[in-house]
Amino acid sequence: EPEVTQTPSHQVTQMGQEVILRCVPISNHLYFYWYRQILGQKVEFLVSFYNNEISEKSEIFDDQFSVERPDGSNFTLKIRSTKLEDSAMYFCASSAGGIDTQYFGPGTRLTVL
Amino acid sequence: GQNIDQPTEMTATEGAIVQINCTYQTSGFNGLFWYQQHAGEAPTFLSYNVLDGLEEKGRFSSFLSRSKGYSYLLLKELQMKDSASYLCAVRDSGYSTLTFGKGTMLLVSP
């Protein structure tokens, strides 16, 4: 069964450093998402991406964040200058269409020291 | 905006039936999803309702009443592996993004 994959599973970085989180969505899906979940809190939407551009973004997704689809399979989230409060689990998700079920990857646990 | 409420915790016994409620207040509505999340893992899709009524998938069923802003997830024949957090998520009309509730932690005991 096709699934969303994410790398790395765990990333530790120093405050102020740049990180890139990688995702490979399900191959025939057209919509891609990033969510985050701070430990013990709810899953929060960051950004959605369709047709090579951002379609929606939340207030969390400020200028420090960017997304890219560098090739036909990868979808990345970049945090330019990490802050302590960026420590969270970051989930990538994809869906076939905009109103279809979103399937989540296993997540990347980001720890900012 | 969306406001989604679910109970924080529930406990039940193996073999029993449990109902997890979710109420929502939204400016628009285009579907309600239930996900299961084990600790440290990704949310896994369970069910989806966009019209009023009951959707059944094996041991899991989900109900929606749009006029009441209410849904529930029903789990039958509980198993120990059903111990997890159950997330209610609403999709706003015209948008594809999901807004999640805080989740209900279900503990199944022998």
Side-chain angles (χ1 to χ4, degrees):
Chain A
E1 184 176 323
E3 57 184 21
V4 178
T5 60
Q6 291 184 242
T7 54
S9 57
H10 193 182
Q11 174 93 47
V12 180
T13 189
Q14 295 290 325
M15 191 169 56
Q17 295 297 304
E18 173 184 287
V19 294
I20 298 175
L21 310 183
R22 291 181 166 80
C23 169
V24 178
I26 295 172
S27 62
N28 63 343
H29 284 188
L30 300 178
Y31 287 77
F32 316 121
Y33 313 84
W34 284 102
Y35 291 82
R36 79 172 185 190
Q37 187 175 30
I38 295 171
L39 188 63
Q41 298 187 24
K42 65 180 179 179
V43 176
E44 300 174 289
F45 167 73
L46 293 178
V47 66
S48 61
F49 192 87
Y50 169 71
N51 199 27
N52 284 319
E53 61 183 26
I54 291 173
S55 49
E56 299 167 67
K57 61 182 181 179
S58 72
E59 293 176 352
I60 303 169
F61 194 87
D62 61 23
D63 292 344
Q64 292 299 311
F65 292 88
S66 62
V67 288
E68 192 178 31
R69 187 154 165 82
D71 54 43
S73 59
N74 290 282
F75 179 53
T76 63
L77 174 70
K78 181 192 290 187
I79 309 175
R80 270 180 262 283
S81 177
T82 51
K83 303 187 284 285
L84 294 176
E85 53 265 38
D86 293 328
S87 294
M89 184 76 100
Y90 288 80
F91 293 109
C92 175
S94 70
S95 63
I99 60 170
D100 293 318
T101 299
Q102 295 178 26
Y103 293 92
F104 284 72
T108 293
R109 181 168 297 286
L110 177 64
T111 302
V112 182
L113 303 176
Chain B
Q2 319 272 32
N3 185 37
I4 301 169
D5 289 311
Q6 333 176 209
T8 304
E9 289 181 352
M10 298 183 72
T11 58
T13 307
E14 201 173 9
I17 299 172
V18 70
Q19 177 175 313
I20 302 174
N21 296 325
C22 172
T23 58
Y24 62 90
Q25 295 157 333
T26 65
S27 53
F29 179 83
N30 191 20
L32 187 144
F33 295 78
W34 284 95
Y35 285 83
Q36 180 192 61
Q37 187 179 30
H38 286 98
E41 298 183 12
T44 304
F45 170 71
L46 289 177
S47 70
Y48 165 65
N49 297 72
V50 66
L51 300 176
D52 290 351
L54 189 68
E55 293 285 338
E56 297 189 80
K57 287 178 68 174
R59 294 191 299 115
F60 299 90
S61 304
S62 58
F63 172 83
L64 175 68
S65 169
R66 288 172 297 171
S67 62
K68 295 181 180 178
Y70 167 69
S71 173
Y72 68 72
L73 179 70
L74 193 71
L75 293 79
K76 304 174 188 174
E77 301 169 15
L78 281 173
Q79 302 174 9
M80 298 295 288
K81 67 178 183 180
D82 296 330
S83 293
S85 186
Y86 291 85
L87 314 180
C88 174
V90 173
R91 183 171 59 210
D92 202 346
S93 56
Y95 296 94
S96 59
T97 62
L98 298 177
T99 300
F100 283 84
K102 293 182 178 180
T104 298
M105 179 65 68
L106 174 66
L107 177 63
V108 180
S109 57

